[in-house]
């Protein structure tokens, strides 16, 4: 019903289609009581939370506008989201409860730190800033930005989800490759097999590939490592079939558990003129170490690899009486280890009483600091005060060449610090070296200083060393061990003894012939260090060996072209390159310079002599040149001499390769692995040295 009154207008509610009469005194609405209550509640809610003009229902609930006088500050603590560039809190809101937009200063409600409403606010009211926030979000976290921009990630299928967590089949290529890599790691790095059962290693493997199941130690000991050994051995056997000449080294060793082993290493130059060194065995040798038994053991070792004794050029050993006799029983050419010879020479020169006393004092000093952590601490402090190098003292080892010299040199270097530390303690004051001891140690050190470098240089197995022996002995006589004016009498005595000892030991005819030919085929030295009265004899032996080589081979010797090699006495001759190359245009205009004697008229011996003369008359290679690299380039020019070079330059000057094999064995047969069986030790040393 509509009561009477003065009408100004009629209002129609667009949401309910109810009408109302508005006058100056009252409003009469044609609605029911329930509709009236709904309108009244909506009116109150609008008065409590006013909306911005043009807005509709949205996910966030606006709390109104902040005061323009209150400063907006950034969110406290770390903020991972880019949205906080546009939002913050009022400075007065110390608890930071109400989030406010920095652009429009409008409060935006957030639930438990969720930033969805904040992004929605930017998208609705500040589209340009929202686009910028999306770009920043994509740069920071691509996967998150795709999700927020509406990109739906591709859902994995059930099959692919199961595949991702299903272990590899043990017969699969991936599983075999990883198992082989683990086996290689265990063998090459000499790790105990218990490594595969340790939690840390298993976790590492699981993180690297979660689908791989690591086998137990029994699998590696019984299957994986033996299989790796057979593969490595087969590969080495195939390589050795193509080797025409080789050299060896051998030595005896006792493990931590006093089990005897005999090592055998092989050295050869391959087709690419690279010096190869391989450990063939570290075999258990429980028999008596008599010359006869050792000789049989070496013969069996070569036979087990299918190596003929005739192809062995030389064997390098130490100077033990049993091994020397064992080699002589087989009529093998033997080279005495230069390292052992030099070590014995130095040992002999130390038999002076003055040196013995000084060496005793030196050893006591080193022991005093080795077994006292307090002394070590005081030494370090004193070194800092005196500005000396922070070096530790070195203990002499009877089995290490040059360790005595290293010990003396270190004591002399730290002399002042040692004296200060020892003098401060009444119990050790008497150990301080006297000036007489220091003088003796300085004389010894001066005599031995230059010898240490030669020992290290000649102990290598990756480069040619045998051809250095004759030049080194010559250098010892002319420079290194030659007395000088400022040498003390003791220094002169030591030098004279070492030089005399070495010259006597290497004056053996067989050894001198071996070293002379090795020096001859080294393009850096040739005949420079061979005595003049012996040059022709050495050349004759070289020609005879090349002639035997040519006659023993089934193929004819390479033709000798008519190109002069040296332009000196005798006809120069160069062989046709092994690999024919396509002729160039310039080759048609190349003239051949010939001597009066035609190459077809030369006998085999004359051709060899001509080639050798051409090689000797050619310019010497630089002293820093790798002789194998030189021969790789010039082997086609001097094919017969190159065969001689490949035969002799593979010989090691020392028995260090066998010593290194024993060092590897010592790392394998450790205190934690002392129960390893001899066959296992042999297999593990072989893998560690040859992989």
């Amino acid at each position: 019903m509509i009561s009477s009154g003065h009408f100004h207008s009629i209002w129609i509610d667009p949401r309910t289609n109810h009408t109302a009469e508005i006058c100056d005194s009252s409003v009469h609405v044609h609605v029911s009581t329930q509709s009236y209550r709904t309108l009244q509640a909506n009116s109150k809610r609008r008065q409590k939370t006013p909306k911005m003009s043009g807005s509709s229902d949205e996910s966030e609930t606006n709390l109104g506008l902040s005061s323009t006088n209150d400063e907006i500050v950034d969110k406290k603590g770390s903020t991972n989201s880019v949205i906080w560039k546009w939002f913050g809190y009022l400075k007065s809101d110390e608890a930071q409860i109400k989030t406010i937009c920095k652009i429009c200063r409008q409060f935006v409600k957030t639930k438990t730190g969720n930033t969805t409403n904040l992004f929605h606010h930017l998208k609705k009211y500040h589209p340009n800033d929202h686009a910028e926030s999306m770009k920043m979000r994509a740069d920071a976290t691509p996967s998150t930005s795709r999700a927020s921009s509406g990109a739906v990630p591709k859902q994995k299928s059930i099959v692919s989800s199961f595949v991702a967590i299903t272990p590899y089949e043990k017969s699969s290529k991936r599983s075999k490759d990883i198992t082989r890599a683990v086996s290689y790691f265990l063998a090459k790095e000499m790790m105990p097999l218990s490594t595969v059962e340790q939690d840390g290693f298993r976790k590492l493997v699981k993180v690297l590939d979660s689908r791989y199941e690591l086998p137990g130690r029994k699998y590696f000991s019984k299957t994986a490592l033996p299989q790796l050994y057979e593969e490595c051995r087969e590969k080495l056997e195939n390589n050795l079939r193509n080797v025409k000449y080789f050299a060896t080294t051998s030595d005896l060793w006792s493990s931590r558990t006093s089990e005897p082993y005999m090592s055998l290493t092989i050295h050869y130059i391959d087709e690419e003129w690279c010096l190869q060194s391989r450990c063939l065995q570290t075999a258990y040798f429980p028999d008596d170490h008599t010359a006869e038994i050792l000789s049989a053991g070496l013969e069996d070792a070569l036979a087990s690899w299918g190596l003929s004794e005739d192809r062995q050029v030389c064997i390098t050993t130490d100077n033990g009486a049993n091994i020397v006799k064992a080699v002589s029983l087989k009529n093998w050419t033997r080279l005495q280890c230069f390292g052992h010879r030099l070590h014995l020479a130095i040992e002999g020169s130390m038999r002076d009483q003055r040196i013995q006393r000084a060496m005793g004092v030196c050893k006591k000093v080193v022991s005093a600091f080795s077994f006292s952590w307090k002394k070590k601490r005081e030494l370090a402090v004193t070194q800092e005060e005196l500005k000396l190098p922070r070096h530790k003292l070195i203990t002499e080892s009877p089995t290490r060449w040059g360790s005595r010299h290293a010990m003396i040199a270190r004591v002399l270097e730290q002399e002042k610090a040692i004296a200060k530390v020892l003098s401060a303690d009444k119990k050790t004051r008497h150990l301080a070296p006297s000036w007489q001891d220091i003088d003796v140690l300085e004389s010894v050190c001066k005599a031995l200083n230059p010898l240490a470098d030669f020992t290290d240089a000649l102990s290598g197995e990756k480069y040619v060393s045998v051809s250095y022996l004759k030049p080194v002995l010559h250098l010892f006589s002319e420079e290194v061990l030659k007395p000088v004016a400022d040498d003390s009498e003791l220094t002169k005595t030591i030098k004279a003894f070492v030089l005399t000892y070495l010259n006597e030991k290497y004056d053996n005819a067989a050894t001198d012939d071996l070293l002379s030919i090795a020096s001859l085929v080294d393009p850096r030295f040739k005949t420079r260090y061979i005595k003049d009265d012996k040059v022709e004899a050495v050349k004759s032996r070289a020609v005879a060996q090349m002639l035997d080589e040519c006659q023993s081979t089934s193929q004819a010797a390479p033709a000798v072209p008519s190109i002069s090699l040296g332009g000196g006495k005798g006809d120069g001759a160069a062989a046709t390159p092994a690999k024919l190359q396509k002729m160039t245009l310039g080759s048609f205009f190349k003239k051949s310079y010939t001597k009066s004697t035609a190459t077809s008229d030369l006998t085999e011996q004359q051709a060899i002599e001509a080639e050798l003369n051409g090689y000797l008359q050619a310019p010497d290679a630089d002293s820093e040149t790798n002789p194998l690299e030189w021969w790789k380039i010039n082997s086609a020019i001097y094919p017969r001499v190159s065969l001689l070079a490949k035969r002799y330059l593979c010989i090691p000057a020392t028995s260090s390769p066998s010593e290194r094999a024993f060092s590897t064995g010592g790392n394998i047969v450790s205190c934690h692995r002392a129960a390893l069986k001899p066959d296992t030790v042999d297999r593990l040393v072989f893998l560690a040295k040859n992989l």
Side-chain angles (χ1 to χ4, degrees):
M1 295 179 62
I2 301 176
S3 61
S4 61
H6 300 282
F7 290 88
H8 289 181
S9 62
I10 299 176
W11 176 74
I12 301 176
D13 190 340
R15 294 170 296 179
T16 59
N17 290 328
H18 293 110
T19 60
E21 298 175 359
I22 304 175
C23 60
D24 56 351
S25 59
S26 62
V27 177
H28 303 275
V29 184
H30 298 274
V31 293
S32 63
T33 304
Q34 184 65 32
S35 298
Y36 174 75
R37 291 177 178 175
T38 301
L39 289 173
Q40 189 177 25
N42 290 338
S43 176
K44 290 180 179 180
R45 186 167 61 253
R46 285 194 298 271
Q47 291 177 3
K48 182 177 181 181
T49 311
K51 286 188 177 182
M52 295 181 63
S53 176
S55 64
S56 61
D57 294 340
E58 54 188 309
S59 59
E60 74 270 8
T61 303
N62 296 325
L63 302 177
L65 299 177
S66 65
S67 173
T68 58
N69 297 328
D70 204 348
E71 181 183 355
I72 300 177
V73 296
D74 292 333
K75 186 179 183 297
K76 296 178 182 178
S78 59
T79 54
N80 296 326
S81 178
V82 299
I83 195 63
W84 295 104
K85 177 180 178 182
W86 291 272
F87 290 89
Y89 297 93
L90 295 178
K91 189 174 182 180
S92 58
D93 185 9
E94 296 182 357
Q96 293 194 346
I97 299 175
K98 298 180 179 180
T99 308
I100 188 171
C101 177
K102 295 180 180 179
I103 303 173
C104 62
R105 300 184 68 85
Q106 184 177 354
F107 293 110
V108 181
K109 188 175 182 180
T110 57
K111 296 181 178 180
T112 63
N114 194 305
T115 59
T116 303
N117 287 349
L118 305 183
F119 280 104
H120 187 70
H121 176 85
L122 280 186
K123 183 177 181 181
K124 189 162 189 175
Y125 299 113
H126 315 291
N128 293 335
D129 294 279
H130 179 264
E132 182 182 353
S133 69
M134 289 294 101
K135 183 178 179 181
M136 292 175 61
R137 195 177 187 186
D139 294 340
T141 52
S143 60
T144 306
S145 63
R146 287 195 298 268
S148 63
S149 60
V152 180
K154 185 177 180 181
Q155 186 176 4
K156 291 184 178 181
S157 64
I158 297 178
V159 175
S160 61
S161 299
F162 275 103
V163 169
I165 61 174
T166 303
Y168 294 120
E169 292 288 339
K170 292 185 178 181
S171 59
S172 66
K173 183 178 183 303
R174 177 63 176 169
S175 180
K176 290 181 178 180
D177 289 344
I178 299 178
T179 302
R180 181 179 177 83
V182 174
S183 303
Y184 183 93
F185 165 73
L186 295 174
K188 188 65 177 177
E189 303 305 327
M190 298 173 284
M191 302 299 294
L193 297 184
S194 59
T195 302
V196 299
E197 295 181 348
Q198 295 174 356
D199 293 339
F201 184 78
R202 299 188 73 87
K203 183 176 182 180
L204 171 65
V205 173
K206 185 60 66 175
V207 170
L208 294 177
D209 196 328
S210 59
R211 296 181 61 190
Y212 174 70
E213 289 187 342
L214 184 65
R217 62 186 297 177
K218 185 176 181 180
Y219 175 81
F220 285 99
S221 63
K222 300 296 183 182
T223 305
L225 288 178
Q227 181 179 352
L228 185 62
Y229 171 77
E230 292 299 330
E231 293 175 359
C232 187
R233 182 185 175 98
E234 182 180 0
K235 182 179 179 181
L236 181 56
E237 286 178 339
N238 293 334
N239 292 338
L240 294 181
R241 290 193 185 99
N242 301 322
V243 175
K244 191 163 188 179
Y245 295 110
F246 62 87
T248 58
T249 70
S250 184
D251 204 351
L252 294 166
W253 167 73
S254 294
S255 68
R256 181 183 295 271
T257 56
S258 299
E259 293 178 329
Y261 290 87
M262 183 173 70
S263 71
L264 181 68
T265 66
I266 187 172
H267 310 268
Y268 61 93
I269 299 174
D270 62 15
E271 296 298 325
E272 298 298 324
W273 285 94
C274 294
L275 183 59
Q276 302 292 342
S277 177
R278 296 289 182 265
C279 176
L280 296 184
Q281 69 171 33
T282 308
Y284 183 53
F285 204 80
D287 300 324
D288 293 340
H289 297 168
T290 62
E292 291 76 14
I293 296 178
L294 288 178
S295 179
L298 291 173
E299 183 181 3
D300 292 343
L302 292 178
S304 66
W305 284 89
L307 298 172
S308 172
E309 298 178 23
D310 297 335
R311 294 160 56 193
Q312 180 177 252
V313 182
C314 177
I315 181 171
T316 304
T317 69
D318 59 17
N319 305 300
N322 54 354
I323 191 68
V324 172
K325 185 178 179 181
V327 173
S328 65
L329 290 175
K330 301 299 299 180
N331 292 321
W332 292 348
T333 302
R334 172 184 167 272
L335 178 64
Q336 49 192 310
C337 173
F338 181 81
H340 281 95
R341 277 300 179 201
L342 184 58
H343 180 70
L344 292 176
I346 295 173
E347 285 287 335
S349 67
M350 299 287 114
R351 291 171 184 168
D352 188 288
Q353 291 184 355
R354 295 170 294 175
I355 299 177
Q356 294 292 332
R357 182 190 183 283
M359 288 300 303
V361 172
C362 194
K363 292 179 181 179
K364 290 179 181 179
V365 168
V366 174
S367 298
F369 286 91
S370 298
F371 297 102
S372 174
W373 64 269
K374 291 184 179 180
K375 287 289 188 296
K376 290 181 180 179
R377 181 187 62 187
E378 294 169 3
L379 180 63
V381 174
T382 307
Q383 287 172 339
E384 188 72 22
E385 294 176 355
L386 300 177
K387 297 182 179 180
L388 293 174
R390 296 289 297 273
H391 294 160
K392 295 182 179 179
L393 301 184
I394 299 175
T395 303
E396 179 189 13
S397 174
T399 59
R400 284 180 52 208
W401 309 329
S403 61
R404 172 172 295 184
H405 166 258
M407 179 183 68
I408 296 173
R410 184 58 54 82
V411 169
L412 291 176
E413 177 193 80
Q414 303 293 331
E415 173 196 352
K416 294 181 179 179
I418 291 172
K420 186 175 180 180
V421 174
L422 294 178
S423 300
D425 187 356
K426 294 181 180 180
K427 295 181 180 180
T428 59
R429 189 175 299 171
H430 67 284
L431 296 177
S434 63
W435 64 269
Q436 294 94 336
D437 296 328
I438 296 299
D439 285 345
V440 171
L441 293 177
E442 287 178 347
S443 298
V444 173
C445 193
K446 187 175 182 180
L448 302 184
N449 263 337
L451 301 180
D453 295 335
F454 288 100
T455 304
D456 294 339
L458 291 173
S459 299
E461 55 185 295
K462 298 298 183 182
Y463 52 84
V464 175
S465 59
V466 66
S467 59
Y468 271 114
L469 287 180
K470 220 165 180 54
V472 165
L473 292 173
H474 180 270
L475 191 63
F476 280 1
S477 300
E478 298 298 325
E479 294 183 23
V480 176
L481 295 178
K482 189 175 182 179
V484 294
D486 60 343
D487 283 348
S488 65
E489 289 300 323
L490 185 57
T491 301
K492 293 178 181 179
T493 302
I494 295 173
K495 287 183 175 181
F497 184 93
V498 173
L499 183 60
T500 302
Y501 180 90
L502 292 177
N503 287 335
E504 289 178 355
K505 296 302 179 182
Y506 282 96
D507 196 33
N508 178 272
T511 301
D512 186 67
D513 291 344
L514 176 68
L515 299 182
S516 295
I517 293 185
S519 178
L520 179 74
V521 295
D522 192 319
R524 301 168 296 180
F525 308 129
K526 297 180 180 177
T527 60
R528 189 190 313 172
Y529 298 103
I530 302 175
K531 293 180 180 180
D532 294 338
D533 58 340
K534 294 184 177 181
V535 171
E536 291 302 323
V538 172
K539 290 171 62 177
S540 298
R541 283 193 296 273
V543 170
Q545 291 187 19
M546 286 187 283
L547 186 61
D548 291 341
E549 177 67 24
C550 293
Q551 292 176 352
S552 63
T553 183
S554 58
Q555 298 179 351
V560 182
S562 57
I563 299 178
S564 176
L565 295 175
K569 297 180 181 179
D571 293 339
T576 303
K579 184 178 180 180
L580 297 177
Q581 297 180 352
K582 185 178 180 180
M583 296 182 66
T584 62
L585 183 61
S587 64
F588 290 97
F589 301 94
K590 186 176 182 180
K591 293 183 179 180
S592 176
Y593 299 93
T594 61
K595 293 291 180 180
S596 57
T597 304
T599 57
S600 58
D601 297 335
L602 294 176
T603 64
E604 187 67 35
Q605 182 172 349
Q606 290 174 336
I608 292 174
E609 291 176 351
E611 182 178 317
L612 180 60
N613 288 332
Y615 161 73
L616 294 176
Q617 292 167 6
D620 293 350
D622 185 78
S623 60
E624 297 293 333
T625 301
N626 182 350
L628 298 184
E629 290 292 336
W630 190 93
W631 276 114
K632 183 177 181 180
I633 298 172
N634 296 278
S635 60
I637 303 176
Y638 313 108
R640 302 175 183 88
V641 183
S642 68
L643 292 177
L644 203 62
K646 187 173 286 188
R647 180 175 181 174
Y648 282 96
L649 294 183
C650 64
I651 301 173
T654 69
S655 59
S656 297
S658 290
E659 301 285 350
R660 294 190 180 100
F662 292 147
S663 297
T664 302
N667 292 331
I668 292 174
V669 188
S670 61
C671 58
H672 297 291
R673 308 174 72 187
L676 287 175
K677 295 181 180 179
D679 290 343
T680 304
V681 174
D682 183 20
R683 185 166 58 241
L684 293 178
V685 172
F686 177 86
L687 290 173
K689 297 294 293 183
N690 296 319
L691 281 177

